[in-house]
Amino acid sequence: MMNDNNNIYPQENKSFATLQSYTPPKEAEPLLARIVSIILHPLFMGIYTVALLFVYTDFNLLFAGQFFLFMSPMFFLTCVVPLCSLYFLNKMKLIKNYGTTEPQERLIPFLVFFLSYGLLVYHFHSAKLYTWFTALLAAPLILIVVSGIISHFWKISLHMVGIGALVGSTLSVCYHVKGVNPYVLFIILFILAGCLGVARLASKKNTPAQVYAGFVLGAAVSYICVWIGAYWGLIVFLQNQ
């Protein structure tokens, strides 16, 4: 009897099956929001952070002509290695896309980023640079671990974590290391952070809570790391006198 009904109404059965499997098309991400998200991607925050040191500190005098000696390992370990890793992970079907948001898919990329920054910290620590500079580079290691734990239970905006780290480390270096107040730079950084937050909301990649939580986490951890590094370096310096 059931077979007879299926034969009588084949078109209706087909339409019902199609309706069950139907998924509404995804809304296109606004172009401007996508551009902002790419320019201010977490992968580039390490490069921006160190490059800014040559702008608002005396790095341009102390390490004159050595800008590319700083930027080369930064670019290779924080951009090239992670991007290549994401590419191969995608080809191996371990992640669905390069901007994966699934908690179970974030584990391996987090491990890759952690190892990359670990090598970066080791590289510059071996060069016997300032303690606060090593702490500045170590902040992303802590953020990767904390963000990874949080992402297992709740999605947090990694974009905002990244730019929060940039803002927090810059503030801490200015106040606790150099004793300067480049307010114009601060205004620009906060405007960029605001633009990125709006972009993440406009593209519906994150909620307001995820945006705010990401920024606060990145800024707080980076600020504290540089602050500890600055005073730890001062203590070591005084002990050696």
Side-chain angles (χ1 to χ4, degrees):
M1 190 68 180
M2 290 296 296
N3 292 335
D4 293 340
N5 290 337
N6 289 336
N7 292 331
I8 294 173
Y9 306 108
Q11 186 64 36
E12 292 182 6
N13 290 335
K14 183 178 180 181
S15 300
F16 181 70
T18 304
L19 182 62
Q20 284 184 314
S21 61
Y22 173 77
T23 55
K26 295 182 179 179
E27 295 184 11
E29 183 177 355
L31 179 59
L32 183 58
R34 187 174 184 179
I35 292 174
V36 172
S37 295
I38 292 174
I39 294 176
L40 299 178
H41 195 279
L43 286 174
F44 305 136
M45 288 301 112
I47 295 175
Y48 295 157
T49 300
V50 175
L52 280 177
L53 293 177
F54 286 86
V55 176
Y56 68 89
T57 72
D58 53 4
F59 260 47
N60 58 334
L61 299 176
L62 295 173
F63 303 103
Q66 301 183 46
F67 179 78
F68 289 104
L69 290 179
F70 280 83
M71 287 296 103
S72 297
M74 287 293 305
F75 178 73
F76 180 75
L77 290 173
T78 65
C79 288
V80 176
V81 172
L83 283 175
C84 290
S85 301
L86 290 176
Y87 174 79
F88 286 112
L89 288 172
N90 180 256
K91 289 297 183 182
M92 295 168 64
K93 307 300 182 182
L94 294 176
I95 59 174
K96 294 178 181 178
N97 53 66
Y98 300 112
T100 179
T101 57
E102 297 296 329
Q104 63 272 19
E105 292 186 4
R106 285 186 168 189
L107 177 59
I108 298 179
F110 278 172
L111 290 175
V112 172
F113 299 152
F114 185 86
L115 291 175
S116 295
Y117 267 98
L119 290 173
L120 187 69
V121 171
Y122 175 78
H123 171 77
F124 282 108
H125 178 71
S126 301
K128 306 298 182 182
L129 292 176
Y130 305 115
T131 305
W132 64 263
F133 182 75
T134 303
L136 181 147
L137 297 178
L141 291 175
I142 299 175
L143 287 172
I144 290 170
V145 173
V146 176
S147 298
I149 295 173
I150 294 175
S151 295
H152 185 71
F153 303 98
W154 181 67
K155 181 182 176 182
I156 191 171
S157 175
L158 299 181
H159 277 75
M160 296 308 296
V161 171
I163 199 165
L166 173 62
V167 173
S169 59
T170 302
L171 289 172
S172 196
V173 170
C174 288
Y175 291 147
H176 301 295
V177 178
K178 298 303 176 183
V180 296
N181 184 27
Y183 63 91
V184 175
L185 175 62
F186 295 160
I187 292 173
I188 293 174
L189 290 178
F190 276 103
I191 290 176
L192 290 175
C195 291
L196 180 58
V198 171
R200 302 307 293 170
L201 294 175
S203 59
K204 298 183 180 180
K205 297 293 186 180
N206 297 110
T207 65
Q210 294 165 357
V211 167
Y212 295 138
F215 180 80
V216 171
L217 175 65
V221 170
S222 296
Y223 187 96
I224 293 172
C225 283
V226 175
W227 175 70
I228 292 175
Y231 285 99
W232 180 262
L234 178 62
I235 292 172
V236 173
F237 174 78
L238 292 176
Q239 288 178 343
N240 294 331
Q241 296 304 307

